[in-house]
Amino acid sequence: MKFMKLGSKPDSFQTDGNSVRYVASELATDIVVNVGEVKFYLHKFPLLSKSECLQKLVAATNDGNSDEVHIPDIPGGPSAFEICAKFCYGMTVTLNAYNVVAARCAAEYLGMHETIEKGNLIYKIDVFLNSSIFRSWKDSIIVLQTTKSLLPLSEDLKVISHCIDSIASKASIDVSRVDWSYTYNRKKLPEENGTDPKWNGVGNRPVVPKDWWVEDLCELEIDLYKRVIMSIKTQAVISHEVIGEALKAFALKRLPGFSKGMIPNGDTAKFRSTVDTIVWLLPADKCSVSCSFLLKLLKAAIFMDSGERAKRELVRRIGQQLEEASVNDLLIRAPEGETARYDVDTVQQIVEEFLMQEQNAEIESTAAHELQEVRRPGILSDASKLMVAKLVDGYLAEIAKDPNLPLSKFVDLAELVSGFSRPAHDGLYRAIDMYLKEHPGISKSERKRICRLMDCKKLSVDACMHAVQNERLPLRVVVQVLFFEQVRATATSGSSTPDLPKGIKDLNSASHGSSRSVTTNTEEDWDAVATLEELKALKGELASLRLGNGVGASERNGGDSKGSIDKAAINKMKGLLMSKKIFTKLWSSKSGQGENSGSDSSGSSVCMYTSRLKCENSKKYMMI
């Protein structure tokens, strides 16, 4: 730390209690200066020779035959006045980064200019500031911190602006020229640890990281921090990533619990200002900060009830890089007063922002007064869509555990990504099953609506194993899962995929809103939920169908009978679907309903599948 000593005489100021200061001298004091609650017993001559303000005050007291003057509003209070008084006496005074601004403001208040006496206090302090303080990295930060309690005079004297310019210029300098002390407590770089393979122990190591300055600036109050970052951004030298790292470091420092995604408790207004300022300072480049950091900011903004502008900006930016998020990041607590556990509406807005990237139009000027709209094709990659679809599936599985979650919010969010191609619907099935488990009292129409989201043909073998044993699913879904497994097995065996039986076609037609049903007045029967005994009967029929025709016929007719085997399998499935004997119990009145739709299929091994069906103690696919 830089410092400057003024004067040469011994310090003879003494204290009598907390409210009295006096000079030990053979001469009796002839003036009392009241600064706040402290009385200074001093001599007129040394004070009046350097202070224009005291000259006027003493002149006024002489007219009233009084030897006391009052200066209650002097900047810096009694301690700053004491520095000025000691300077007037020629006593030794030490100025440093912590007291120099207070002394400068007090000297300005007292009028200690060059016009009163050459080499006065204001001149000496200004020389110290310009030659030492503003050239020092840490001293500039310390001085800037002290200016807040001395407003507005510290602003008028341009001390704040000089500090900001000094800090910004040093932060923007090339790291190879940084030769001063700074704080850097984060994980060291490889070259700092001596583990860099390019470092051979000879020469100077490049130990200064690009973000060397961010931790020191975290000591500043939010309003001063904002001005410094704005000045650094104006320099246009620091990368957006480093600015983003600085904002992250400041949030971790100033918002307790932020690193763990917790909402800070304490001064809500102060924290709200911090969040709003960080949002306002975010660089335009979407890669400057992580999606996880943005979501933590959004959680804090919602809890602190920040302005809608800040929330909208965060939602927009999160939507632009949603594929980077995790399920835990998206679990935003619902505002107080709501029955639901999570804020699903905000997540839906984020997903909509993600989709908007595909819909935004790019306007190009094609002539002097002519504009042409050009739509950007495929701005979202298939990989991004797949990651977001999986993210939403995982999020749905988490919020489905909330017993107060309305079905409409679950379905609306799922439908936003329904057009994204996914190789498997296991994640969506898990979310649907979780919702059915936590909401057993939903109506048939609601059960039908949520099951329509799932494509049975995109379930893995293990997911199918779980689905055909799932008592929460409607009969329609169970039958479709069983049949599509048989169809895939047929395709795997080498023959062409057969046409769907009329019963399954009718099921699919109904799932798209058709008024037709498998048999007259049985639409509700298909949407009924099967019991465990009924599921076993249905599985047994399919197992015997495959084992009875697939194995025996193969031995009798050899390889040439594959087509007839498949035809027999399909015919028996048709009979199974239309058989009143098998579904007499299934067509009884039950609660619950659902369905599914499909677009394409994935391969599976039916032999392994049917052998598992025969085993009562087979390993189940645990989705929950």
Side-chain angles (χ1 to χ4, degrees):
M1 179 184 294
K2 304 291 184 181
F3 64 92
M4 180 177 71
K5 285 189 175 182
L6 300 175
S8 58
K9 296 179 181 179
D11 184 355
S12 58
F13 263 69
Q14 295 185 11
T15 302
D16 184 4
N18 295 325
S19 58
V20 175
R21 305 285 190 276
Y22 64 93
V23 178
S25 172
E26 295 179 356
L27 297 176
T29 59
D30 55 3
I31 185 173
V32 178
V33 181
N34 294 276
V35 182
E37 297 179 354
V38 180
K39 290 181 176 291
F40 288 85
Y41 292 86
L42 305 173
H43 302 86
K44 291 182 180 178
F45 174 74
L47 298 179
L48 302 186
S49 64
K50 292 181 172 60
S51 172
E52 180 181 9
C53 175
L54 289 176
Q55 290 177 6
K56 295 178 180 179
L57 290 174
V58 170
T61 59
N62 289 336
D63 294 340
N65 296 320
S66 174
D67 60 352
E68 289 194 23
V69 296
H70 298 269
I71 48 175
D73 55 348
I74 184 172
S79 60
F81 176 79
E82 185 173 334
I83 292 175
C84 296
K86 288 180 179 180
F87 174 80
C88 293
Y89 279 92
M91 298 177 185
T92 302
V93 177
T94 302
L95 296 177
N96 54 45
Y98 290 100
N99 62 14
V100 65
V101 178
R104 175 65 178 87
C105 291
E108 184 71 24
Y109 180 93
L110 295 173
M112 302 177 73
H113 300 282
E114 291 293 284
T115 55
I116 303 299
E117 183 178 87
K118 291 293 183 181
N120 212 340
L121 183 57
I122 289 178
Y123 169 77
K124 291 185 179 295
I125 291 179
D126 286 344
V127 169
F128 177 55
L129 288 171
N130 293 316
S131 63
S132 298
I133 295 296
F134 296 148
R135 295 190 178 188
S136 170
W137 166 252
K138 287 196 171 182
D139 285 348
S140 295
I141 296 174
I142 294 171
V143 166
L144 185 57
Q145 287 178 285
T146 65
T147 60
K148 188 169 185 178
S149 62
L150 298 165
L151 291 171
L153 190 53
S154 59
E155 186 78 70
D156 296 338
L157 296 176
K158 300 188 182 302
V159 176
I160 294 179
S161 60
H162 286 318
C163 284
I164 291 174
D165 291 342
S166 172
I167 294 169
S169 62
K170 286 178 174 59
S172 303
I173 201 171
D174 189 279
V175 293
S176 63
R177 298 171 56 192
V178 176
D179 57 0
W180 48 80
S181 174
Y182 58 88
T183 304
Y184 194 79
N185 292 324
R186 286 163 294 169
K187 187 177 179 180
K188 290 186 176 182
L189 301 178
E191 58 267 21
E192 293 180 272
N193 293 325
T195 59
D196 190 350
K198 298 180 180 179
W199 166 243
N200 57 8
V202 180
N204 295 324
R205 292 182 295 175
V207 296
V208 180
K210 293 182 179 179
D211 58 348
W212 61 267
W213 49 270
V214 303
E215 289 187 31
D216 288 328
L217 295 192
C218 291
E219 302 300 325
L220 296 173
E221 293 297 324
I222 185 62
D223 51 348
L224 294 173
Y225 182 82
K226 176 181 178 180
R227 293 177 62 177
V228 171
I229 294 297
M230 289 174 58
S231 181
I232 292 175
K233 292 172 71 173
T234 304
Q235 305 275 347
V237 175
I238 303 297
S239 67
H240 291 165
E241 290 78 8
V242 176
I243 296 293
E245 185 63 28
L247 297 176
K248 179 180 178 181
F250 189 81
L252 295 174
K253 179 79 172 182
R254 293 294 181 174
L255 298 174
F258 186 84
S259 60
K260 299 180 181 179
M262 299 171 60
I263 305 301
N265 295 318
D267 190 343
T268 302
K270 179 180 178 181
F271 291 147
R272 183 189 302 120
S273 175
T274 300
V275 172
D276 291 348
T277 300
I278 292 175
V279 174
W280 192 83
L281 290 173
L282 287 172
D285 187 357
K286 74 175 186 178
C287 298
S288 58
V289 292
S290 67
C291 189
S292 177
F293 174 67
L294 292 173
L295 280 161
K296 287 185 176 69
L297 278 178
L298 179 59
K299 292 176 183 179
I302 293 173
F303 182 81
M304 301 294 174
D305 195 22
S306 296
E308 289 300 320
R309 181 178 180 181
K311 296 177 187 176
R312 286 197 303 269
E313 175 64 15
L314 286 171
V315 167
R316 183 187 68 82
R317 294 181 66 100
I318 293 168
Q320 291 179 348
Q321 51 195 105
L322 182 58
E323 64 272 17
E324 302 173 11
S326 67
V327 173
N328 189 60
D329 291 333
L330 292 178
L331 296 178
I332 304 171
R333 301 293 299 183
E336 292 186 9
E338 294 191 8
T339 57
R341 186 181 304 168
Y342 298 109
D343 189 349
V344 183
D345 293 336
T346 298
V347 174
Q348 182 168 339
Q349 293 173 15
I350 292 172
V351 177
E352 289 171 350
E353 285 291 337
F354 176 81
L355 297 173
M356 282 295 294
Q357 297 178 83
E358 191 77 15
Q359 303 172 6
N360 286 338
E362 181 178 329
I363 307 299
E364 295 182 352
S365 178
T366 57
H369 300 286
E370 182 180 359
L371 293 177
Q372 180 179 1
E373 183 176 303
V374 181
R375 189 168 297 279
R376 293 182 295 228
I379 189 173
L380 296 178
S381 66
D382 291 339
S384 295
K385 292 180 181 179
L386 178 59
M387 286 188 287
V388 170
K390 290 183 176 180
L391 176 67
V392 172
D393 289 348
Y395 177 75
L396 290 172
E398 288 298 321
I399 64 174
K401 300 174 185 177
D402 179 9
N404 296 318
L405 176 68
L407 177 70
S408 58
K409 291 190 176 183
F410 183 99
V411 174
D412 290 346
L413 181 57
E415 287 179 343
L416 286 178
V417 296
S418 61
F420 292 176
S421 177
R422 281 170 277 185
H425 273 206
D426 288 18
L428 184 56
Y429 167 66
R430 178 177 182 270
I432 292 173
D433 185 49
M434 177 61 71
Y435 192 90
L436 294 177
K437 178 181 178 181
E438 297 294 334
H439 303 77
I442 63 174
S443 65
K444 287 184 177 181
S445 60
E446 290 174 327
R447 192 178 298 271
K448 184 176 183 179
R449 183 183 179 189
I450 193 173
C451 287
R452 185 183 293 121
L453 299 169
M454 181 177 56
D455 186 347
C456 293
K457 292 185 292 183
K458 289 190 174 183
L459 296 180
S460 67
V461 174
D462 288 336
C464 288
M465 282 294 299
H466 186 274
V468 298
Q469 300 176 76
N470 191 344
E471 298 180 52
R472 293 183 285 271
L473 293 179
L475 172 64
R476 178 191 305 272
V477 176
V478 176
V479 170
Q480 286 182 330
V481 170
L482 288 169
F483 179 77
F484 287 132
E485 276 298 302
Q486 179 66 27
V487 172
R488 285 201 292 264
T490 302
T492 304
S493 66
S495 57
S496 59
T497 304
D499 293 333
L500 297 178
K502 184 178 184 300
I504 291 293
K505 287 183 178 180
D506 290 339
L507 281 177
N508 286 331
S509 298
S511 69
H512 291 286
S514 174
S515 61
R516 296 176 298 170
S517 58
V518 178
T519 58
T520 305
N521 299 325
T522 61
E523 179 68 17
E524 292 188 3
D525 300 325
W526 282 112
D527 295 325
V529 180
T531 64
L532 180 60
E533 291 76 12
E534 293 162 346
L535 288 174
K536 287 181 179 179
L538 186 59
K539 292 185 290 183
E541 285 295 324
L542 183 65
S544 61
L545 179 152
R546 181 61 182 170
L547 295 175
N549 291 278
V551 178
S554 176
E555 292 176 352
R556 292 192 299 270
N557 301 324
D560 296 336
S561 63
K562 286 184 177 179
S564 61
I565 294 172
D566 297 333
K567 184 176 181 181
I570 298 304
N571 288 334
K572 292 199 71 174
M573 179 59 76
K574 290 181 180 180
L576 176 65
L577 292 172
M578 302 302 295
S579 172
K580 291 184 179 179
K581 179 180 179 181
I582 296 298
F583 295 117
T584 297
K585 293 172 64 181
L586 298 182
W587 289 353
S588 60
S589 298
K590 303 177 185 67
S591 63
Q593 116 176 17
E595 70 176 88
N596 66 321
S597 58
S599 57
D600 53 354
S601 61
S602 60
S604 62
S605 173
V606 74
C607 293
M608 176 175 65
Y609 177 66
T610 53
S611 64
R612 288 180 181 177
L613 290 177
K614 292 179 66 181
C615 230
E616 288 297 329
N617 296 322
S618 62
K619 182 179 179 181
K620 294 183 179 181
Y621 175 60
M622 300 305 296
M623 299 295 295
I624 306 303

